[in-house]
C-alpha cells in the first residue's frame, strides 16, 4: 500500500516520499511538500483504488549489485556494507522499488486504500495518513458503532449529529456563564454576611465543592484581608482542589508554604495572598487548627 501511494503521489503531483511509518493502527507517509489539498487527496485516493481494481500484478526479482538496471529502480541507496543480490519489487507499469519486506502478488489483495487526511509534518513536510485492507473495514465498523451510540444519545439521525452537538455546546456555554454569575453573587453574599456580624472573627474558613479561584478571590476582596485571615477551598472534600490563604502580608508569607505542605499541594503568593492546588483536601481540618493556633494569641480575651 505504501509503495503504491508513494508512486502515484509522485507521478500525479511530484510529491516525493521522504519517510514512512507503518503503524499498528494506521500508517503515515511523509511527503516532501508543505501542503496537500483536499482535492489532491481525493484524486490520489481515487487513482490508487483504480489500480487495485485493475488487479495490477506485483512481482519480486533479484538483481546483481552491479546490474545497470538498478539505476532505474527507486531507492534510498544501498548500505555501504551491502553484499549479494538486490531485491526489487515491481508494481507492473507503476513502480520499481528496492525493498526487503513482504508484498502481495497482486494489487487486488490490498482490497482498498483509504486516505484519512494529512497532518503537519516536519519543516515544509506533510504527513499523509492512510489505512489499507482489513484496517479500512475495522475503521468503518468502529465508526458505525460510534454513529449508533451517538444516534441513541442525541435522539436523531447521523446527518443531524453535528448540529445536535453544536446546540449542546451552546447550551453548556450558557449554563457555564449563568453558573459563574451565580457563584459570583454567592461569593458577595457570603462576604456581606460575614461583615454584617457584630463581632468579626480574625479567622474565616470556608469550603465549597462548586467554585473556582475567582470565587475565592471575590470573597477575599469583599471581606478585606487587612485584619482577617481567610482560608478558602473549593473542590471535592476528600480529593484534589484549590485553596486560597489571604490576610495580613506577614502572616500569609509565614503560613502559606506550611498550608500547601499540609494539603500536599503547591502554591505561590504575593501581597497577602497565597493560592495553589491541593491533592489532600481531607487535611483541611489540620490547616484550620494551624491557623486557629496562629490567630488565638491575637484574639481579645472574653
Amino acid at each position: 500500500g505504501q509503495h503504491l501511494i508513494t508512486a502515484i503521489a509522485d507521478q500525479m503531483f511530484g510529491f516525493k516520499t521522504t519517510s514512512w511509518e507503518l503503524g499498528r493502527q494506521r500508517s503515515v507517509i511523509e511527503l516532501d511538500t508543505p501542503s496537500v489539498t483536499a482535492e489532491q487527496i481525493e484524486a490520489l485516493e481515487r487513482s490508487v483504488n483504480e489500480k487495485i481494481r485493475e488487479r495490477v500484478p506485483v512481482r519480486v526479482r533479484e538483481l546483481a549489485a552491479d546490474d545497470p538496471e538498478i539505476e532505474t529502480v527507486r531507492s534510498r541507496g544501498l548500505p555501504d556494507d551491502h553484499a549479494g543480490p538486490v531485491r526489487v519489487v515491481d508494481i507492473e507499469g507503476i513502480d520499481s522499488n528496492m525493498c526487503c519486506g513482504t508484498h502481495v502478488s497482486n494489487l487486488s489483495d490490498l482490497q482498498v486504500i483509504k486516505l484519512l487526511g494529512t497532518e503537519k509534518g516536519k519543516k515544509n513536510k506533510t504527513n499523509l495518513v492512510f489505512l489499507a485492507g482489513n484496517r479500512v473495514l475495522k475503521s468503518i465498523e468502529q465508526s458505525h458503532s460510534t454513529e449508533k451510540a451517538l444516534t441513541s444519545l442525541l435522539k436523531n439521525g447521523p446527518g443531524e449529529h453535528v448540529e445536535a452537538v453544536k446546540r449542546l455546546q451552546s447550551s453548556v456555554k450558557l449554563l457555564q456563564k449563568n453558573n459563574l454569575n451565580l457563584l459570583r453573587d454567592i461569593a458577595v453574599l457570603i462576604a456581606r454576611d460575614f461583615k454584617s456580624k457584630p463581632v468579626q472573627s480574625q479567622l474565616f474558613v470556608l469550603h465549597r465543592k462548586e467554585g473556582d479561584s475567582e470565587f475565592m478571590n471575590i470573597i477575599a476582596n469583599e471581606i478585606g484581608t487587612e485584619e482577617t485571615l481567610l482560608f478558602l477551598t473549593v473542590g471535592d472534600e476528600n480529593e484534589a482542589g484549590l485553596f486560597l490563604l489571604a490576610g495580613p502580608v506577614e502572616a500569609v508569607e509565614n503560613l502559606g508554604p506550611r498550608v500547601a505542605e499540609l494539603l500536599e499541594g503547591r502554591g505561590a503568593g504575593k501581597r497577602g495572598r497565597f493560592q495553589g492546588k491541593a491533592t489532600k483536601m481531607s487535611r483541611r481540618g489540620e490547616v484550620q487548627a494551624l491557623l486557629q493556633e496562629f490567630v488565638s494569641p491575637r484574639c481579645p480575651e472574653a
Side-chain angles (χ1 to χ4, degrees):
Q2 179 268 313
H3 282 211
L4 178 61
I5 297 169
T6 287
I8 300 299
D10 190 7
Q11 292 173 14
M12 292 183 70
F13 307 112
F15 297 156
K16 303 294 183 183
T17 291
T18 48
S19 69
W20 62 86
E21 178 187 357
L22 306 181
R24 290 185 177 275
Q25 303 299 325
R26 63 176 197 165
S27 298
V28 177
I29 298 173
E30 182 185 73
L31 298 175
D32 191 12
T33 177
S35 64
V36 180
T37 67
E39 291 76 18
Q40 288 172 326
I41 292 175
E42 182 180 353
L44 179 58
E45 180 179 278
R46 184 168 54 249
S47 180
V48 296
N49 282 296
E50 284 174 357
K51 300 302 181 184
I52 291 172
R53 289 192 294 273
E54 289 171 5
R55 297 177 51 81
V56 176
V58 178
R59 65 189 180 97
V60 177
R61 56 197 173 107
E62 292 186 348
L63 300 176
D66 59 353
D67 191 319
E69 192 173 346
I70 286 185
E71 298 300 322
T72 66
V73 176
R74 181 169 58 85
S75 76
R76 292 185 293 176
L78 290 170
D80 294 335
D81 59 351
H82 174 78
V86 178
R87 188 171 183 270
V88 177
V89 177
D90 293 319
I91 304 176
E92 189 176 285
I94 298 174
D95 187 42
S96 186
N97 181 32
M98 291 183 192
C99 189
C100 59
T102 303
H103 291 78
V104 299
S105 60
N106 190 291
L107 286 186
S108 64
D109 292 336
L110 293 176
Q111 302 177 62
V112 65
I113 284 176
K114 178 61 184 175
L115 304 183
L116 299 179
T118 60
E119 298 173 350
K120 185 177 177 63
K122 298 174 185 176
K123 187 176 181 180
N124 293 325
K125 303 289 179 67
T126 299
N127 293 333
L128 179 65
V129 185
F130 75 96
L131 300 175
N134 287 335
R135 292 184 181 184
V136 177
L137 298 177
K138 289 180 180 178
S139 178
I140 292 173
E141 182 179 354
Q142 291 172 354
S143 296
H144 182 60
S145 295
T146 301
E147 186 178 275
K148 286 174 63 179
L150 286 172
T151 296
S152 176
L153 290 170
L154 299 173
K155 309 299 182 186
N156 60 15
E160 300 172 307
H161 285 175
V162 173
E163 287 303 316
V165 171
K166 286 181 178 179
R167 288 194 298 270
L168 283 173
Q169 288 178 325
S170 297
S171 297
V172 169
K173 287 181 180 179
L174 180 60
L175 287 171
Q176 289 174 331
K177 182 179 180 180
N178 291 339
N179 183 59
L180 181 59
N181 289 334
L182 289 171
L183 279 173
R184 288 170 175 164
D185 292 342
I186 291 172
V188 171
L189 290 173
I190 288 172
R192 288 179 180 176
D193 178 65
F194 174 78
K195 293 174 70 175
S196 68
K197 295 177 180 178
V199 179
Q200 294 182 13
S201 170
Q202 289 182 304
L203 175 64
F204 179 79
V205 177
L206 175 73
H207 173 78
R208 189 177 184 89
K209 186 174 182 179
E210 306 84 6
D212 54 16
S213 295
E214 184 179 10
F215 172 76
M216 295 187 292
N217 277 291
I218 289 174
I219 293 176
N221 291 338
E222 290 290 326
I223 290 179
T225 57
E226 292 79 7
E227 299 294 334
T228 305
L229 187 63
L230 296 91
F231 174 54
L232 310 173
T233 53
V234 294
D236 192 291
E237 294 182 0
N238 297 310
E239 296 182 13
L242 305 175
F243 72 90
L244 169 66
L245 181 70
V249 174
E250 186 177 345
V252 172
E253 288 178 352
N254 177 33
L255 294 166
R258 295 166 66 186
V259 169
E261 183 180 0
L262 280 173
L263 296 175
E264 296 185 21
R266 300 173 62 183
K270 59 182 179 180
R271 295 194 293 272
R273 301 210 178 174
F274 190 98
Q275 55 190 335
K277 295 181 179 179
T279 60
K280 289 283 187 178
M281 294 292 278
S282 57
R283 300 185 67 182
R284 289 180 296 108
E286 297 177 50
V287 174
Q288 185 171 348
L290 170 69
L291 301 179
Q292 189 64 58
E293 182 181 354
F294 179 82
V295 300
S296 291
R298 302 165 60 208
C299 293
E301 295 182 2

